[in-house]
mmCIF file with all atom_site columns, all heavy atoms in Angstrom:
data_model
loop_
_atom_site.group_PDB
_atom_site.id
_atom_site.type_symbol
_atom_site.label_atom_id
_atom_site.label_alt_id
_atom_site.label_comp_id
_atom_site.label_asym_id
_atom_site.label_entity_id
_atom_site.label_seq_id
_atom_site.pdbx_PDB_ins_code
_atom_site.Cartn_x
_atom_site.Cartn_y
_atom_site.Cartn_z
_atom_site.occupancy
_atom_site.B_iso_or_equiv
_atom_site.pdbx_formal_charge
_atom_site.auth_seq_id
_atom_site.auth_comp_id
_atom_site.auth_asym_id
_atom_site.auth_atom_id
_atom_site.pdbx_PDB_model_num
ATOM 1   N N   . PHE A 1 1  ? 9.500   -3.953 -12.510 1.00 0.00 ? 1209 PHE A N   1
ATOM 2   C CA  . PHE A 1 1  ? 9.956   -3.189 -11.348 1.00 0.00 ? 1209 PHE A CA  1
ATOM 3   C C   . PHE A 1 1  ? 9.465   -1.744 -11.389 1.00 0.00 ? 1209 PHE A C   1
ATOM 4   O O   . PHE A 1 1  ? 8.892   -1.258 -10.401 1.00 0.00 ? 1209 PHE A O   1
ATOM 5   C CB  . PHE A 1 1  ? 11.477  -3.249 -11.213 1.00 0.00 ? 1209 PHE A CB  1
ATOM 6   C CG  . PHE A 1 1  ? 11.978  -2.575 -9.972  1.00 0.00 ? 1209 PHE A CG  1
ATOM 7   C CD1 . PHE A 1 1  ? 11.916  -3.220 -8.746  1.00 0.00 ? 1209 PHE A CD1 1
ATOM 8   C CD2 . PHE A 1 1  ? 12.479  -1.288 -10.018 1.00 0.00 ? 1209 PHE A CD2 1
ATOM 9   C CE1 . PHE A 1 1  ? 12.355  -2.589 -7.596  1.00 0.00 ? 1209 PHE A CE1 1
ATOM 10  C CE2 . PHE A 1 1  ? 12.920  -0.660 -8.875  1.00 0.00 ? 1209 PHE A CE2 1
ATOM 11  C CZ  . PHE A 1 1  ? 12.861  -1.317 -7.656  1.00 0.00 ? 1209 PHE A CZ  1
ATOM 12  N N   . PRO A 1 2  ? 9.629   -1.015 -12.508 1.00 0.00 ? 1210 PRO A N   1
ATOM 13  C CA  . PRO A 1 2  ? 9.107   0.358  -12.533 1.00 0.00 ? 1210 PRO A CA  1
ATOM 14  C C   . PRO A 1 2  ? 7.598   0.426  -12.299 1.00 0.00 ? 1210 PRO A C   1
ATOM 15  O O   . PRO A 1 2  ? 7.104   1.346  -11.648 1.00 0.00 ? 1210 PRO A O   1
ATOM 16  C CB  . PRO A 1 2  ? 9.466   0.868  -13.931 1.00 0.00 ? 1210 PRO A CB  1
ATOM 17  C CG  . PRO A 1 2  ? 10.575  0.008  -14.388 1.00 0.00 ? 1210 PRO A CG  1
ATOM 18  C CD  . PRO A 1 2  ? 10.380  -1.325 -13.733 1.00 0.00 ? 1210 PRO A CD  1
ATOM 19  N N   . ALA A 1 3  ? 6.866   -0.568 -12.821 1.00 0.00 ? 1211 ALA A N   1
ATOM 20  C CA  . ALA A 1 3  ? 5.419   -0.568 -12.634 1.00 0.00 ? 1211 ALA A CA  1
ATOM 21  C C   . ALA A 1 3  ? 5.049   -0.817 -11.177 1.00 0.00 ? 1211 ALA A C   1
ATOM 22  O O   . ALA A 1 3  ? 4.132   -0.184 -10.646 1.00 0.00 ? 1211 ALA A O   1
ATOM 23  C CB  . ALA A 1 3  ? 4.778   -1.626 -13.533 1.00 0.00 ? 1211 ALA A CB  1
ATOM 24  N N   . VAL A 1 4  ? 5.754   -1.720 -10.518 1.00 0.00 ? 1212 VAL A N   1
ATOM 25  C CA  . VAL A 1 4  ? 5.485   -2.000 -9.101  1.00 0.00 ? 1212 VAL A CA  1
ATOM 26  C C   . VAL A 1 4  ? 5.808   -0.777 -8.250  1.00 0.00 ? 1212 VAL A C   1
ATOM 27  O O   . VAL A 1 4  ? 5.038   -0.405 -7.360  1.00 0.00 ? 1212 VAL A O   1
ATOM 28  C CB  . VAL A 1 4  ? 6.273   -3.239 -8.629  1.00 0.00 ? 1212 VAL A CB  1
ATOM 29  C CG1 . VAL A 1 4  ? 6.233   -3.376 -7.117  1.00 0.00 ? 1212 VAL A CG1 1
ATOM 30  C CG2 . VAL A 1 4  ? 5.724   -4.495 -9.285  1.00 0.00 ? 1212 VAL A CG2 1
ATOM 31  N N   . ILE A 1 5  ? 6.922   -0.134 -8.515  1.00 0.00 ? 1213 ILE A N   1
ATOM 32  C CA  . ILE A 1 5  ? 7.295   1.064  -7.749  1.00 0.00 ? 1213 ILE A CA  1
ATOM 33  C C   . ILE A 1 5  ? 6.270   2.170  -7.970  1.00 0.00 ? 1213 ILE A C   1
ATOM 34  O O   . ILE A 1 5  ? 5.873   2.872  -7.037  1.00 0.00 ? 1213 ILE A O   1
ATOM 35  C CB  . ILE A 1 5  ? 8.713   1.536  -8.141  1.00 0.00 ? 1213 ILE A CB  1
ATOM 36  C CG1 . ILE A 1 5  ? 9.748   0.503  -7.678  1.00 0.00 ? 1213 ILE A CG1 1
ATOM 37  C CG2 . ILE A 1 5  ? 9.023   2.896  -7.555  1.00 0.00 ? 1213 ILE A CG2 1
ATOM 38  C CD1 . ILE A 1 5  ? 9.768   0.245  -6.180  1.00 0.00 ? 1213 ILE A CD1 1
ATOM 39  N N   . ALA A 1 6  ? 5.795   2.336  -9.206  1.00 0.00 ? 1214 ALA A N   1
ATOM 40  C CA  . ALA A 1 6  ? 4.776   3.357  -9.482  1.00 0.00 ? 1214 ALA A CA  1
ATOM 41  C C   . ALA A 1 6  ? 3.508   3.058  -8.694  1.00 0.00 ? 1214 ALA A C   1
ATOM 42  O O   . ALA A 1 6  ? 2.895   3.968  -8.134  1.00 0.00 ? 1214 ALA A O   1
ATOM 43  C CB  . ALA A 1 6  ? 4.477   3.411  -10.978 1.00 0.00 ? 1214 ALA A CB  1
ATOM 44  N N   . ARG A 1 7  ? 3.105   1.778  -8.619  1.00 0.00 ? 1215 ARG A N   1
ATOM 45  C CA  . ARG A 1 7  ? 1.915   1.416  -7.836  1.00 0.00 ? 1215 ARG A CA  1
ATOM 46  C C   . ARG A 1 7  ? 2.126   1.673  -6.356  1.00 0.00 ? 1215 ARG A C   1
ATOM 47  O O   . ARG A 1 7  ? 1.203   2.096  -5.658  1.00 0.00 ? 1215 ARG A O   1
ATOM 48  C CB  . ARG A 1 7  ? 1.555   -0.044 -8.051  1.00 0.00 ? 1215 ARG A CB  1
ATOM 49  C CG  . ARG A 1 7  ? 0.674   -0.261 -9.229  1.00 0.00 ? 1215 ARG A CG  1
ATOM 50  C CD  . ARG A 1 7  ? -0.036  -1.572 -9.117  1.00 0.00 ? 1215 ARG A CD  1
ATOM 51  N NE  . ARG A 1 7  ? -1.069  -1.652 -10.136 1.00 0.00 ? 1215 ARG A NE  1
ATOM 52  C CZ  . ARG A 1 7  ? -1.987  -2.582 -10.175 1.00 0.00 ? 1215 ARG A CZ  1
ATOM 53  N NH1 . ARG A 1 7  ? -2.006  -3.512 -9.271  1.00 0.00 ? 1215 ARG A NH1 1
ATOM 54  N NH2 . ARG A 1 7  ? -2.877  -2.592 -11.120 1.00 0.00 ? 1215 ARG A NH2 1
ATOM 55  N N   . LEU A 1 8  ? 3.324   1.413  -5.857  1.00 0.00 ? 1216 LEU A N   1
ATOM 56  C CA  . LEU A 1 8  ? 3.602   1.690  -4.445  1.00 0.00 ? 1216 LEU A CA  1
ATOM 57  C C   . LEU A 1 8  ? 3.507   3.183  -4.153  1.00 0.00 ? 1216 LEU A C   1
ATOM 58  O O   . LEU A 1 8  ? 2.955   3.591  -3.129  1.00 0.00 ? 1216 LEU A O   1
ATOM 59  C CB  . LEU A 1 8  ? 4.993   1.175  -4.058  1.00 0.00 ? 1216 LEU A CB  1
ATOM 60  C CG  . LEU A 1 8  ? 5.145   -0.326 -3.931  1.00 0.00 ? 1216 LEU A CG  1
ATOM 61  C CD1 . LEU A 1 8  ? 6.610   -0.684 -3.727  1.00 0.00 ? 1216 LEU A CD1 1
ATOM 62  C CD2 . LEU A 1 8  ? 4.304   -0.857 -2.797  1.00 0.00 ? 1216 LEU A CD2 1
ATOM 63  N N   . ILE A 1 9  ? 4.034   3.996  -5.047  1.00 0.00 ? 1217 ILE A N   1
ATOM 64  C CA  . ILE A 1 9  ? 3.983   5.450  -4.851  1.00 0.00 ? 1217 ILE A CA  1
ATOM 65  C C   . ILE A 1 9  ? 2.544   5.935  -4.882  1.00 0.00 ? 1217 ILE A C   1
ATOM 66  O O   . ILE A 1 9  ? 2.118   6.714  -4.023  1.00 0.00 ? 1217 ILE A O   1
ATOM 67  C CB  . ILE A 1 9  ? 4.847   6.155  -5.913  1.00 0.00 ? 1217 ILE A CB  1
ATOM 68  C CG1 . ILE A 1 9  ? 6.327   5.876  -5.644  1.00 0.00 ? 1217 ILE A CG1 1
ATOM 69  C CG2 . ILE A 1 9  ? 4.573   7.657  -5.926  1.00 0.00 ? 1217 ILE A CG2 1
ATOM 70  C CD1 . ILE A 1 9  ? 7.253   6.319  -6.759  1.00 0.00 ? 1217 ILE A CD1 1
ATOM 71  N N   . VAL A 1 10 ? 1.770   5.474  -5.857  1.00 0.00 ? 1218 VAL A N   1
ATOM 72  C CA  . VAL A 1 10 ? 0.367   5.887  -5.953  1.00 0.00 ? 1218 VAL A CA  1
ATOM 73  C C   . VAL A 1 10 ? -0.402  5.429  -4.722  1.00 0.00 ? 1218 VAL A C   1
ATOM 74  O O   . VAL A 1 10 ? -1.224  6.164  -4.177  1.00 0.00 ? 1218 VAL A O   1
ATOM 75  C CB  . VAL A 1 10 ? -0.274  5.334  -7.241  1.00 0.00 ? 1218 VAL A CB  1
ATOM 76  C CG1 . VAL A 1 10 ? -1.774  5.512  -7.223  1.00 0.00 ? 1218 VAL A CG1 1
ATOM 77  C CG2 . VAL A 1 10 ? 0.318   6.033  -8.448  1.00 0.00 ? 1218 VAL A CG2 1
ATOM 78  N N   . GLY A 1 11 ? -0.138  4.208  -4.255  1.00 0.00 ? 1219 GLY A N   1
ATOM 79  C CA  . GLY A 1 11 ? -0.792  3.714  -3.047  1.00 0.00 ? 1219 GLY A CA  1
ATOM 80  C C   . GLY A 1 11 ? -0.488  4.571  -1.834  1.00 0.00 ? 1219 GLY A C   1
ATOM 81  O O   . GLY A 1 11 ? -1.360  4.837  -1.013  1.00 0.00 ? 1219 GLY A O   1
ATOM 82  N N   . GLY A 1 12 ? 0.754   5.049  -1.726  1.00 0.00 ? 1220 GLY A N   1
ATOM 83  C CA  . GLY A 1 12 ? 1.112   5.938  -0.624  1.00 0.00 ? 1220 GLY A CA  1
ATOM 84  C C   . GLY A 1 12 ? 0.392   7.259  -0.700  1.00 0.00 ? 1220 GLY A C   1
ATOM 85  O O   . GLY A 1 12 ? -0.029  7.813  0.317   1.00 0.00 ? 1220 GLY A O   1
ATOM 86  N N   . VAL A 1 13 ? 0.216   7.769  -1.913  1.00 0.00 ? 1221 VAL A N   1
ATOM 87  C CA  . VAL A 1 13 ? -0.509  9.026  -2.090  1.00 0.00 ? 1221 VAL A CA  1
ATOM 88  C C   . VAL A 1 13 ? -1.961  8.841  -1.686  1.00 0.00 ? 1221 VAL A C   1
ATOM 89  O O   . VAL A 1 13 ? -2.546  9.673  -0.996  1.00 0.00 ? 1221 VAL A O   1
ATOM 90  C CB  . VAL A 1 13 ? -0.398  9.521  -3.557  1.00 0.00 ? 1221 VAL A CB  1
ATOM 91  C CG1 . VAL A 1 13 ? -1.339  10.673 -3.810  1.00 0.00 ? 1221 VAL A CG1 1
ATOM 92  C CG2 . VAL A 1 13 ? 1.036   9.907  -3.861  1.00 0.00 ? 1221 VAL A CG2 1
ATOM 93  N N   . VAL A 1 14 ? -2.557  7.739  -2.098  1.00 0.00 ? 1222 VAL A N   1
ATOM 94  C CA  . VAL A 1 14 ? -3.957  7.474  -1.758  1.00 0.00 ? 1222 VAL A CA  1
ATOM 95  C C   . VAL A 1 14 ? -4.109  7.323  -0.248  1.00 0.00 ? 1222 VAL A C   1
ATOM 96  O O   . VAL A 1 14 ? -5.036  7.864  0.351   1.00 0.00 ? 1222 VAL A O   1
ATOM 97  C CB  . VAL A 1 14 ? -4.476  6.219  -2.498  1.00 0.00 ? 1222 VAL A CB  1
ATOM 98  C CG1 . VAL A 1 14 ? -5.828  5.798  -1.971  1.00 0.00 ? 1222 VAL A CG1 1
ATOM 99  C CG2 . VAL A 1 14 ? -4.547  6.496  -3.988  1.00 0.00 ? 1222 VAL A CG2 1
ATOM 100 N N   . GLU A 1 15 ? -3.195  6.589  0.393   1.00 0.00 ? 1223 GLU A N   1
ATOM 101 C CA  . GLU A 1 15 ? -3.264  6.420  1.848   1.00 0.00 ? 1223 GLU A CA  1
ATOM 102 C C   . GLU A 1 15 ? -3.147  7.759  2.571   1.00 0.00 ? 1223 GLU A C   1
ATOM 103 O O   . GLU A 1 15 ? -3.807  7.973  3.580   1.00 0.00 ? 1223 GLU A O   1
ATOM 104 C CB  . GLU A 1 15 ? -2.160  5.484  2.321   1.00 0.00 ? 1223 GLU A CB  1
ATOM 105 C CG  . GLU A 1 15 ? -2.447  4.033  2.067   1.00 0.00 ? 1223 GLU A CG  1
ATOM 106 C CD  . GLU A 1 15 ? -1.337  3.135  2.565   1.00 0.00 ? 1223 GLU A CD  1
ATOM 107 O OE1 . GLU A 1 15 ? -0.348  3.643  3.133   1.00 0.00 ? 1223 GLU A OE1 1
ATOM 108 O OE2 . GLU A 1 15 ? -1.458  1.917  2.383   1.00 0.00 ? 1223 GLU A OE2 1
ATOM 109 N N   . SER A 1 16 ? -2.325  8.665  2.044   1.00 0.00 ? 1224 SER A N   1
ATOM 110 C CA  . SER A 1 16 ? -2.166  9.959  2.704   1.00 0.00 ? 1224 SER A CA  1
ATOM 111 C C   . SER A 1 16 ? -3.412  10.821 2.550   1.00 0.00 ? 1224 SER A C   1
ATOM 112 O O   . SER A 1 16 ? -3.633  11.743 3.323   1.00 0.00 ? 1224 SER A O   1
ATOM 113 C CB  . SER A 1 16 ? -0.947  10.699 2.160   1.00 0.00 ? 1224 SER A CB  1
ATOM 114 O OG  . SER A 1 16 ? -1.175  11.117 0.835   1.00 0.00 ? 1224 SER A OG  1
ATOM 115 N N   . MET A 1 17 ? -4.254  10.516 1.540   1.00 0.00 ? 1225 MET A N   1
ATOM 116 C CA  . MET A 1 17 ? -5.461  11.305 1.327   1.00 0.00 ? 1225 MET A CA  1
ATOM 117 C C   . MET A 1 17 ? -6.646  10.787 2.130   1.00 0.00 ? 1225 MET A C   1
ATOM 118 O O   . MET A 1 17 ? -7.653  11.469 2.254   1.00 0.00 ? 1225 MET A O   1
ATOM 119 C CB  . MET A 1 17 ? -5.828  11.310 -0.162  1.00 0.00 ? 1225 MET A CB  1
ATOM 120 C CG  . MET A 1 17 ? -4.839  12.081 -0.992  1.00 0.00 ? 1225 MET A CG  1
ATOM 121 S SD  . MET A 1 17 ? -5.119  12.118 -2.770  1.00 0.00 ? 1225 MET A SD  1
ATOM 122 C CE  . MET A 1 17 ? -6.605  11.302 -3.078  1.00 0.00 ? 1225 MET A CE  1
ATOM 123 N N   . VAL A 1 18 ? -6.546  9.581  2.656   1.00 0.00 ? 1226 VAL A N   1
ATOM 124 C CA  . VAL A 1 18 ? -7.656  9.008  3.419   1.00 0.00 ? 1226 VAL A CA  1
ATOM 125 C C   . VAL A 1 18 ? -7.757  9.727  4.757   1.00 0.00 ? 1226 VAL A C   1
ATOM 126 O O   . VAL A 1 18 ? -6.790  9.863  5.487   1.00 0.00 ? 1226 VAL A O   1
ATOM 127 C CB  . VAL A 1 18 ? -7.453  7.497  3.638   1.00 0.00 ? 1226 VAL A CB  1
ATOM 128 C CG1 . VAL A 1 18 ? -8.516  6.935  4.551   1.00 0.00 ? 1226 VAL A CG1 1
ATOM 129 C CG2 . VAL A 1 18 ? -7.468  6.787  2.303   1.00 0.00 ? 1226 VAL A CG2 1
ATOM 130 N N   . VAL A 1 19 ? -8.956  10.204 5.063   1.00 0.00 ? 1227 VAL A N   1
ATOM 131 C CA  . VAL A 1 19 ? -9.175  10.983 6.277   1.00 0.00 ? 1227 VAL A CA  1
ATOM 132 C C   . VAL A 1 19 ? -10.286 10.318 7.084   1.00 0.00 ? 1227 VAL A C   1
ATOM 133 O O   . VAL A 1 19 ? -11.283 9.875  6.544   1.00 0.00 ? 1227 VAL A O   1
ATOM 134 C CB  . VAL A 1 19 ? -9.584  12.431 5.917   1.00 0.00 ? 1227 VAL A CB  1
ATOM 135 C CG1 . VAL A 1 19 ? -9.847  13.238 7.159   1.00 0.00 ? 1227 VAL A CG1 1
ATOM 136 C CG2 . VAL A 1 19 ? -8.525  13.074 5.060   1.00 0.00 ? 1227 VAL A CG2 1
ATOM 137 N N   . ASP A 1 20 ? -10.117 10.278 8.409   1.00 0.00 ? 1228 ASP A N   1
ATOM 138 C CA  . ASP A 1 20 ? -11.129 9.689  9.286   1.00 0.00 ? 1228 ASP A CA  1
ATOM 139 C C   . ASP A 1 20 ? -12.061 10.741 9.879   1.00 0.00 ? 1228 ASP A C   1
ATOM 140 O O   . ASP A 1 20 ? -12.930 10.407 10.671  1.00 0.00 ? 1228 ASP A O   1
ATOM 141 C CB  . ASP A 1 20 ? -10.457 8.921  10.427  1.00 0.00 ? 1228 ASP A CB  1
ATOM 142 C CG  . ASP A 1 20 ? -9.828  7.632  9.945   1.00 0.00 ? 1228 ASP A CG  1
ATOM 143 O OD1 . ASP A 1 20 ? -10.285 7.110  8.923   1.00 0.00 ? 1228 ASP A OD1 1
ATOM 144 O OD2 . ASP A 1 20 ? -8.888  7.155  10.596  1.00 0.00 ? 1228 ASP A OD2 1
ATOM 145 N N   . ASP A 1 21 ? -11.894 11.979 9.502   1.00 0.00 ? 1229 ASP A N   1
ATOM 146 C CA  . ASP A 1 21 ? -12.702 13.068 10.046  1.00 0.00 ? 1229 ASP A CA  1
ATOM 147 C C   . ASP A 1 21 ? -14.076 13.057 9.378   1.00 0.00 ? 1229 ASP A C   1
ATOM 148 O O   . ASP A 1 21 ? -14.207 13.311 8.179   1.00 0.00 ? 1229 ASP A O   1
ATOM 149 C CB  . ASP A 1 21 ? -11.988 14.393 9.807   1.00 0.00 ? 1229 ASP A CB  1
ATOM 150 C CG  . ASP A 1 21 ? -12.719 15.568 10.421  1.00 0.00 ? 1229 ASP A CG  1
ATOM 151 O OD1 . ASP A 1 21 ? -13.621 15.341 11.241  1.00 0.00 ? 1229 ASP A OD1 1
ATOM 152 O OD2 . ASP A 1 21 ? -12.375 16.715 10.067  1.00 0.00 ? 1229 ASP A OD2 1
ATOM 153 N N   . GLU A 1 22 ? -15.121 12.768 10.143  1.00 0.00 ? 1230 GLU A N   1
ATOM 154 C CA  . GLU A 1 22 ? -16.477 12.650 9.595   1.00 0.00 ? 1230 GLU A CA  1
ATOM 155 C C   . GLU A 1 22 ? -16.961 13.960 8.966   1.00 0.00 ? 1230 GLU A C   1
ATOM 156 O O   . GLU A 1 22 ? -17.605 13.957 7.924   1.00 0.00 ? 1230 GLU A O   1
ATOM 157 C CB  . GLU A 1 22 ? -17.454 12.206 10.688  1.00 0.00 ? 1230 GLU A CB  1
ATOM 158 C CG  . GLU A 1 22 ? -17.289 10.772 11.110  1.00 0.00 ? 1230 GLU A CG  1
ATOM 159 C CD  . GLU A 1 22 ? -17.669 9.795  10.011  1.00 0.00 ? 1230 GLU A CD  1
ATOM 160 O OE1 . GLU A 1 22 ? -18.608 10.083 9.247   1.00 0.00 ? 1230 GLU A OE1 1
ATOM 161 O OE2 . GLU A 1 22 ? -17.008 8.756  9.910   1.00 0.00 ? 1230 GLU A OE2 1
ATOM 162 N N   . ALA A 1 23 ? -16.660 15.083 9.611   1.00 0.00 ? 1231 ALA A N   1
ATOM 163 C CA  . ALA A 1 23 ? -17.112 16.379 9.077   1.00 0.00 ? 1231 ALA A CA  1
ATOM 164 C C   . ALA A 1 23 ? -16.476 16.649 7.717   1.00 0.00 ? 1231 ALA A C   1
ATOM 165 O O   . ALA A 1 23 ? -17.151 17.105 6.778   1.00 0.00 ? 1231 ALA A O   1
ATOM 166 C CB  . ALA A 1 23 ? -16.770 17.495 10.054  1.00 0.00 ? 1231 ALA A CB  1
ATOM 167 N N   . MET A 1 24 ? -15.196 16.343 7.589   1.00 0.00 ? 1232 MET A N   1
ATOM 168 C CA  . MET A 1 24 ? -14.512 16.582 6.323   1.00 0.00 ? 1232 MET A CA  1
ATOM 169 C C   . MET A 1 24 ? -15.069 15.651 5.240   1.00 0.00 ? 1232 MET A C   1
ATOM 170 O O   . MET A 1 24 ? -15.253 16.065 4.090   1.00 0.00 ? 1232 MET A O   1
ATOM 171 C CB  . MET A 1 24 ? -13.007 16.369 6.455   1.00 0.00 ? 1232 MET A CB  1
ATOM 172 C CG  . MET A 1 24 ? -12.246 16.682 5.179   1.00 0.00 ? 1232 MET A CG  1
ATOM 173 S SD  . MET A 1 24 ? -10.474 16.509 5.344   1.00 0.00 ? 1232 MET A SD  1
ATOM 174 C CE  . MET A 1 24 ? -10.092 18.008 6.226   1.00 0.00 ? 1232 MET A CE  1
ATOM 175 N N   . ILE A 1 25 ? -15.385 14.417 5.610   1.00 0.00 ? 1233 ILE A N   1
ATOM 176 C CA  . ILE A 1 25 ? -15.951 13.478 4.645   1.00 0.00 ? 1233 ILE A CA  1
ATOM 177 C C   . ILE A 1 25 ? -17.305 13.975 4.162   1.00 0.00 ? 1233 ILE A C   1
ATOM 178 O O   . ILE A 1 25 ? -17.609 13.925 2.964   1.00 0.00 ? 1233 ILE A O   1
ATOM 179 C CB  . ILE A 1 25 ? -16.047 12.063 5.255   1.00 0.00 ? 1233 ILE A CB  1
ATOM 180 C CG1 . ILE A 1 25 ? -14.643 11.503 5.459   1.00 0.00 ? 1233 ILE A CG1 1
ATOM 181 C CG2 . ILE A 1 25 ? -16.875 11.142 4.373   1.00 0.00 ? 1233 ILE A CG2 1
ATOM 182 C CD1 . ILE A 1 25 ? -14.593 10.201 6.214   1.00 0.00 ? 1233 ILE A CD1 1
ATOM 183 N N   . ARG A 1 26 ? -18.130 14.480 5.088   1.00 0.00 ? 1234 ARG A N   1
ATOM 184 C CA  . ARG A 1 26 ? -19.441 15.019 4.689   1.00 0.00 ? 1234 ARG A CA  1
ATOM 185 C C   . ARG A 1 26 ? -19.270 16.196 3.738   1.00 0.00 ? 1234 ARG A C   1
ATOM 186 O O   . ARG A 1 26 ? -20.002 16.330 2.751   1.00 0.00 ? 1234 ARG A O   1
ATOM 187 C CB  . ARG A 1 26 ? -20.242 15.433 5.918   1.00 0.00 ? 1234 ARG A CB  1
ATOM 188 C CG  . ARG A 1 26 ? -20.915 14.266 6.633   1.00 0.00 ? 1234 ARG A CG  1
ATOM 189 C CD  . ARG A 1 26 ? -21.941 14.746 7.643   1.00 0.00 ? 1234 ARG A CD  1
ATOM 190 N NE  . ARG A 1 26 ? -21.384 15.576 8.698   1.00 0.00 ? 1234 ARG A NE  1
ATOM 191 C CZ  . ARG A 1 26 ? -20.798 15.094 9.808   1.00 0.00 ? 1234 ARG A CZ  1
ATOM 192 N NH1 . ARG A 1 26 ? -20.715 13.801 10.005  1.00 0.00 ? 1234 ARG A NH1 1
ATOM 193 N NH2 . ARG A 1 26 ? -20.329 15.918 10.713  1.00 0.00 ? 1234 ARG A NH2 1
ATOM 194 N N   . GLU A 1 27 ? -18.300 17.083 4.015   1.00 0.00 ? 1235 GLU A N   1
ATOM 195 C CA  . GLU A 1 27 ? -18.042 18.223 3.142   1.00 0.00 ? 1235 GLU A CA  1
ATOM 196 C C   . GLU A 1 27 ? -17.588 17.759 1.761   1.00 0.00 ? 1235 GLU A C   1
ATOM 197 O O   . GLU A 1 27 ? -18.010 18.319 0.741   1.00 0.00 ? 1235 GLU A O   1
ATOM 198 C CB  . GLU A 1 27 ? -16.978 19.125 3.753   1.00 0.00 ? 1235 GLU A CB  1
ATOM 199 C CG  . GLU A 1 27 ? -17.445 19.898 4.966   1.00 0.00 ? 1235 GLU A CG  1
ATOM 200 C CD  . GLU A 1 27 ? -16.321 20.701 5.607   1.00 0.00 ? 1235 GLU A CD  1
ATOM 201 O OE1 . GLU A 1 27 ? -15.244 20.833 4.984   1.00 0.00 ? 1235 GLU A OE1 1
ATOM 202 O OE2 . GLU A 1 27 ? -16.516 21.179 6.732   1.00 0.00 ? 1235 GLU A OE2 1
#
């Protein structure tokens, strides 16, 4: 359970960092 919750939290952090802005991706 702690490992699954840790993966869920990390996945949420990664999802929040994903950006669709092409200019920002190029930078």
